[in-house]
Amino acid sequence: MNKELVKKIVFPFIVLFLIIQFWSGLATVVEDFPTPSDTAVYAFGGVTADGDEIEGVLSDPFYIENQDDMGVFWQILESLKRVFGGFALAIIVGIPIGLLVGMSKNVQYALDPFIQIFKPVSPLAWLPLLLFIFQDINATAISTIFITSIWPIIINTALGVKNVSEDYLNVAKVLRFTSMEKVFKIILPVAVPYIFTGMRLSLGIAWLVIVAAEMLTGGIGIGFWIWDEYNNLAYHNIIIGIILVGLVGFILDVIMGVVADYFDYRKRM
């Protein structure tokens, strides 16, 4: 077996072992902190160290009791709907703006100060204002994701445009390409890898933002579910929620990475 492959398999398990040991040590120091074994029981069902029989959050993730009481699968699905809603808007608006910023110095001079001002603003700062404007949980969450995840798309798209060789642009002038022909035949093929890098970063930010947004806005979603479990003093379920958020984020990043590699002409040469 390839040594690199072995390392990729073995090393993460070593780190996982160390994390579990640290977690177990923390549980002995902090009173009532969930242990790894009890957290596993709360996740998949069984009997805890205190002798309590637990059904487990993941034993039936698809149940629907009522509109406000659903399994964790539906909580994650609702969050993903909001994430992809805001992410799609960020793509639709961000790519054209990024192209304009990259192609025109005047547009860059006009927009760059505002990009740099609004880019570092926390999503928690936008939430109260957007909730006041929309008076709706879903619209607030989607618009918050849009505002906070659009910047990587704009910046990376503009960077991709600026990396187009002058020789290519000179060829476009010789062939008398129109502006649209220059964009689709010269600029986009070079900028696409940068655009997908921006989209990958943007999707990660969107998934990060949704948890905080749902904690404050309420309703259905993995963020509100975690906050609700905190209010119920179900600390085991908080840890389960954190792990689920991390796993979903990891899967989204892997998918976007595969898509980005597919459209990266440099990796297919």
Side-chain angles (χ1 to χ4, degrees), residues 20-266:
I20 292 175
Q21 294 306 307
F22 174 79
W23 181 358
S24 300
L26 186 62
T28 61
V29 175
V30 181
E31 186 179 359
D32 296 329
F33 195 86
T35 64
S37 57
D38 272 358
T39 302
V41 171
Y42 273 80
F44 302 104
V47 180
T48 66
D50 296 329
D52 299 324
E53 188 171 351
I54 303 296
E55 183 177 345
V57 171
L58 302 179
S59 59
D60 186 15
F62 302 102
Y63 83 88
I64 300 178
E65 187 69 28
N66 53 57
Q67 189 175 0
D68 299 319
D69 186 10
M70 300 181 179
V72 71
F73 170 82
W74 305 110
Q75 306 285 350
I76 292 174
L77 186 62
E78 286 298 318
S79 296
L80 286 172
K81 287 179 182 177
R82 296 179 183 124
V83 164
F84 282 106
F87 179 60
L89 286 175
I91 292 173
I92 293 170
V93 176
I95 292 177
I97 292 177
L99 290 172
L100 288 173
V101 170
M103 294 170 63
S104 171
K105 283 286 185 182
N106 291 334
V107 175
Q108 179 184 344
Y109 294 149
L111 296 184
D112 188 63
F114 299 99
I115 293 173
Q116 300 307 322
I117 289 170
F118 290 119
K119 178 167 64 75
V121 176
S122 168
L124 299 181
W126 289 107
L127 262 173
L129 182 63
L130 295 172
L131 189 58
F132 171 72
I133 293 171
F134 293 107
Q135 305 286 314
D136 178 77
I137 293 172
N138 287 324
T140 300
I142 290 171
S143 57
T144 303
I145 290 167
F146 163 72
I147 290 175
T148 53
S149 65
I150 192 174
W151 312 118
I153 295 177
I154 294 175
I155 293 169
N156 280 273
T157 301
L159 180 63
V161 174
K162 291 176 182 178
N163 274 273
V164 176
S165 172
E166 283 293 330
D167 293 337
Y168 295 162
L169 297 176
N170 290 333
V171 169
K173 289 180 182 178
V174 171
L175 296 176
R176 296 184 179 180
F177 281 177
T178 64
S179 297
M180 293 303 293
E181 286 178 328
K182 185 169 71 172
V183 168
F184 284 100
K185 293 183 179 181
I186 302 293
I187 293 175
L188 276 180
V190 176
V192 158
Y194 295 88
I195 293 172
F196 274 96
T197 298
M199 289 168 59
R200 186 176 182 179
L201 293 170
S202 177
L203 185 58
I205 292 172
W207 184 242
L208 181 72
V209 167
I210 191 61
V211 175
E214 290 175 343
M215 281 184 175
L216 293 181
T217 57
I220 300 172
I222 190 63
F224 175 72
W225 183 83
I226 292 173
W227 187 251
D228 195 43
E229 295 305 305
Y230 168 76
N231 291 328
N232 294 329
L233 304 180
Y235 300 115
H236 299 83
N237 291 348
I238 294 174
I239 295 176
I240 294 168
I242 291 170
I243 294 172
L244 288 173
V245 168
L247 288 174
V248 173
F250 172 73
I251 292 169
L252 292 176
D253 185 69
V254 169
I255 292 172
M256 281 302 300
V258 171
V259 174
D261 288 344
Y262 176 80
F263 284 98
D264 191 344
Y265 69 93
R266 297 168 299 183

